[in-house]
Amino acid sequence: MNRLSESRPTRKIEYWCFLLCLVVIGVCYYGIRALAVYGLAAVTAILTDFICLFLRKRSYKIADLFNAGMAVTMCMMFPATVPYSIVILSTVFATGISHIFGYRKGYLFPPPAVGYLFALSCWKDEILKFPETGEQLPLFHHQAVLSDSFSHTLITENEIHESWSHIFMGTLRSPMGTGCIFMLMIGAIVLLCRKQLSLWAFLGFLFGVSACSFFMTIPMHETIVSSMMLFSLIFLISDPAVMPCRNIMAYFGTAITALLTCYSITAYHLEYAPVVAVMLSVPLWHWFAKHEKLYSVTESDQEEET
């Protein structure tokens, strides 16, 4: 375990404010049901943490509330019409896995990605069908007409049918928290400036996407606005809480993740390609982190000898 994984980075107020802004946007677009989904996920994560920590004979601390934020982040990749049972089961699964593999000492896999892929593998139709944005959904027994997302249409037809104003504001069929590109861009800039995101990981992923755009003739701007790309870059890929390596190692690691993402989009038309690429890349990230630690230890030993 490297020194950067021994304790998770402390989240500052701007991170939580950004997360809250995305929650508010989801509630504005989909009504009270979006708020119920987020609240249910947070409460389920807290209760699961309590049970797991009790079984491990450990006390619950304020830092453990971070898992509630992870559960909310997972739900941002869901449609607003996701059944409550899926929210509960996915949150319990992701939180339980985090206790088994790492927890406070560093996540083996990002819990939002774990919960999302668990839900996707079990209930694909409920996860990949979306209501019209702006439809105020009731708490129960909604009658919304569901269809494929904007990203699915874009990557299968390779053509944008929506106006760019709708794309930037997220007023199209998409997951609750991943559609508003304008807010995600502002949040990314703020978090990068406040060192709440890994700059090297962020730049490495953008380099990988731009390289794919050059060699595979995929327009970079279309790639960035589709398939939860920007959202995944902020919350899964360049999040220091789940990225074990730093500096140049993070750059190379996330550049490879970008290549895997673009390949999954072009070859398999996966609108959730960034999440799959992250899960496939995590072993590589840890390998880079291990060698980064060995290199830093060797350097320090040489300095002591001199």
Side-chain angles (χ1 to χ4, degrees), residues 192 197-206 238 245-252 254-255:
L192 283 170
L197 295 182
S198 169
L199 178 61
W200 284 97
F202 202 90
L203 294 177
F205 190 82
L206 292 181
S238 57
C245 47
R246 297 292 184 266
N247 302 331
I248 196 66
M249 292 298 188
Y251 183 90
F252 287 124
T254 54

Side-chain angles (χ1 to χ4, degrees), residues 139-150:
L139 281 174
F140 303 99
H141 308 300
H142 63 82
Q143 301 296 324
V145 177
L146 307 180
S147 61
D148 294 328
S149 68
F150 158 76

Side-chain angles (χ1 to χ4, degrees), residues 47-249:
L47 292 177
T48 306
D49 272 334
F50 264 114
I51 295 172
C52 292
L53 290 171
F54 174 77
L55 294 175
R56 297 170 61 189
K57 298 181 180 180
R58 297 174 60 177
S59 60
Y60 190 90
K61 298 182 179 180
I62 296 297
D64 296 308
L65 286 173
F66 186 71
N67 259 0
M70 287 288 195
V72 172
T73 302
M74 176 193 70
C75 288
M76 288 179 179
M77 296 184 283
F78 289 161
T81 53
V82 60
Y84 296 130
S85 58
I86 295 179
V87 175
I88 295 173
L89 293 174
S90 300
T91 303
V92 170
F93 182 81
T95 307
I97 290 295
S98 73
H99 278 271
I100 296 173
F101 299 105
Y103 197 56
R104 287 181 186 168
K105 293 185 178 180
Y107 293 113
L108 179 61
F109 294 102
V114 172
Y116 177 81
L117 291 180
F118 170 75
L120 185 68
S121 62
C122 297
W123 305 281
K124 187 174 182 178
D125 290 339
E126 286 81 358
I127 300 301
L128 296 182
K129 296 296 181 181
F130 302 88
E132 193 71 39
T133 303
E135 186 171 353
Q136 299 296 304
L137 301 170
L139 281 174
F140 303 99
H141 308 300
H142 63 82
Q143 301 296 324
V145 177
L146 307 180
S147 61
D148 294 328
S149 68
F150 158 76
S151 296
H152 180 271
T153 304
L154 175 59
I155 63 180
T156 53
E157 300 181 8
N158 198 24
E159 185 177 354
I160 295 179
H161 299 288
E162 303 285 345
S163 67
W164 279 100
S165 61
H166 287 173
I167 292 173
F168 274 101
M169 297 307 298
T171 53
L172 35 77
R173 293 181 186 269
S174 63
M176 287 189 289
T178 70
C180 189
I181 302 299
F182 178 72
M183 178 56 69
L184 291 172
M185 291 174 63
I186 293 177
I189 293 172
V190 172
L191 294 179
L192 283 170
C193 292
R194 295 293 295 168
K195 298 182 179 181
Q196 292 288 283
L197 295 182
S198 169
L199 178 61
W200 284 97
F202 202 90
L203 294 177
F205 190 82
L206 292 181
F207 171 79
V209 172
S210 61
C212 290
S213 300
F214 180 78
F215 291 107
M216 300 182 182
T217 65
I218 307 172
M220 184 176 179
H221 63 280
E222 293 186 6
T223 305
I224 291 296
V225 301
S226 67
S227 303
M228 303 189 293
M229 189 74 77
L230 189 55
F231 179 87
S232 298
L233 177 56
I234 296 172
F235 288 102
L236 304 181
I237 296 169
S238 57
D239 186 346
V242 296
M243 167 58 68
C245 47
R246 297 292 184 266
N247 302 331
I248 196 66
M249 292 298 188

Side-chain angles (χ1 to χ4, degrees), residues 22-33:
L22 293 179
V23 170
V24 170
I25 290 174
V27 174
C28 291
Y29 283 172
Y30 299 104
I32 192 173
R33 196 177 201 282

